[in-house]
Amino acid sequence: VQLVESGGGLVQPGGSLRLSCAASGFTFSNYDMSWYRQTPGKERELVAGITRGGRSTKYADSVKGRFTISRDDAKNTAYLQMNSLKPEDTAVYYCNAKHTYVGAYNYWGQGTQVTVSS
């Protein structure tokens, strides 16, 4: 099982980034996908989630209207489009896959750094 995030980097305030999470080793379409983020000394927090089939999405209040989560089951990939980035969005972003019905099947990626700074 592998989740590989990509797309992080340094961006100026107001800029955009698109994170990708490429999955392998499990049946991607059976899993709800989420993005979390973490900064030093703080707990990992949920940023956005999308259910299997993309039927529904949810977002942290701090990113509503700026971030969009999506998935492409044909490519076994989840995405996080981040617009109007703010310095407070700076964090390591992690991809998470959790089976819709069997919660024990819960996988994490290694994380990708997003830094928003002028």
Side-chain angles (χ1 to χ4, degrees):
V1 172
Q2 201 170 19
L3 294 173
V4 179
E5 298 101 333
S6 61
L10 174 64
V11 63
Q12 292 187 341
S16 298
L17 284 174
R18 188 175 85 151
L19 305 183
S20 298
C21 173
S24 61
F26 62 97
T27 306
F28 182 78
S29 60
N30 288 343
Y31 285 69
D32 302 327
M33 299 299 298
S34 300
W35 288 93
Y36 287 73
R37 66 187 181 188
Q38 189 170 25
T39 54
K42 292 190 175 182
E43 291 188 0
R44 196 170 293 188
E45 64 170 352
L46 176 68
V47 176
I50 186 167
T51 58
R52 60 186 295 175
R55 292 183 181 89
S56 66
T57 58
K58 59 182 177 182
Y59 296 92
D61 287 343
S62 58
V63 307
K64 281 181 182 176
R66 300 188 298 122
F67 291 11
T68 302
I69 189 170
S70 61
R71 63 189 295 160
D72 185 338
D73 288 358
K75 295 183 177 180
N76 289 348
T77 302
Y79 304 96
L80 185 68
Q81 177 67 43
M82 305 186 295
N83 299 330
S84 302
L85 282 161
K86 305 175 181 180
E88 51 263 43
D89 295 318
T90 296
V92 178
Y93 284 71
Y94 297 90
C95 177
N96 173 263
K98 187 172 181 181
H99 195 282
T100 302
Y101 302 115
V102 184
Y105 296 150
N106 189 16
Y107 310 123
W108 291 92
Q110 83 289 349
T112 185
Q113 176 70 46
V114 171
T115 302
V116 184
S117 175
S118 55

